[in-house]
Amino acid sequence: AFVTRAFEGIIVSHAPDQILAAAPGTGFELLRVLLFRKYLGIADTNGRNMMVSGLGAHGSDGTYGTGCGGSSVRILSVDENPSSTDQLAASAGPSLQTAQAIKSSLMSAVSGAVIERPEAAAAFIRALRGLELPSIVTVGGRLTAVHATAPFDDTTLAVLDAGGPQPALESLAKRLVSYPGR
């Protein structure tokens, strides 16, 4: 979605990760942002290049609420610069972590979202695959390999479409949130 008004939030890496990870909708919202960034070949996907709102007010005691007037968590991707050829090669594969590691509690929420909402994840991947990206984003075929492999390939979609508890879905969820540790 396009930002149509001011986005008031904090940098994900500054948010209390246990509260953020437990907030309803965080896992799927983060999954969507990570898939978007990987599909577009965006560099440096980490907790400093995403903002979050919907955690509630930051109290004088340093705590956050669990919602803001009943609204859900929203995560915004920021600092969207294209990856270099070397960065794209280094982040090849199914992992959605393409730069510095993202806190494990947040990645666990992403894994949970894949397992709990596989059909929604498949629908989002199909929406990405249906985009007509501007030539400046795809110049020189730089994203061809990214788009041809997990998590954007037909095999991934088949696993997600099968849904339900299955070893292949659990394996996919683990691979998507793994840290390649380059």
Side-chain angles (χ1 to χ4, degrees):
F2 289 103
V3 177
T4 57
R5 64 180 189 272
F7 187 93
E8 294 184 22
I10 59 172
I11 297 171
V12 166
S13 63
H14 293 173
D17 59 299
Q18 295 301 326
I19 291 173
L20 178 56
T26 294
F28 191 71
E29 185 74 4
L30 185 54
L31 172 64
R32 291 177 355 144
V33 169
L34 294 173
L35 285 167
F36 170 81
R37 289 181 68 94
K38 183 156 183 135
Y39 193 79
L40 270 66
I42 297 171
D44 299 328
T45 297
N46 60 61
R48 291 184 307 276
N49 290 333
M50 295 178 279
M51 294 185 69
V52 61
S53 69
L55 290 179
H58 181 249
S60 59
D61 62 354
T63 62
Y64 286 81
T66 56
C68 186
S71 67
S72 61
V73 167
R74 299 295 299 174
I75 298 177
L76 176 70
S77 175
V78 298
D79 193 15
E80 297 172 344
N81 294 300
S83 294
S84 68
T85 303
D86 290 342
Q87 287 172 316
L88 285 173
S91 65
S95 178
L96 297 175
Q97 297 191 74
T98 62
Q100 298 84 5
I102 297 170
K103 293 180 179 178
S104 62
S105 59
L106 298 179
M107 295 312 291
S108 290
V110 169
S111 177
V114 171
I115 292 169
E116 293 166 17
R117 298 184 62 194
E119 295 85 2
F124 188 74
I125 290 169
R126 283 191 176 90
L128 290 171
R129 287 174 50 162
L131 292 174
E132 290 189 36
L133 299 175
S135 60
I136 193 163
V137 174
T138 61
V139 65
R142 68 188 263 324
L143 297 176
T144 302
V146 172
H147 295 169
T149 59
F152 307 109
D153 61 349
D154 291 339
T155 301
T156 299
L157 288 173
V159 170
L160 292 169
D161 287 339
Q166 57 162 315
L169 182 59
E170 291 176 16
S171 174
L172 173 64
K174 286 180 185 174
R175 288 183 293 131
L176 292 178
V177 301
S178 66
Y179 181 66
R182 294 173 304 280

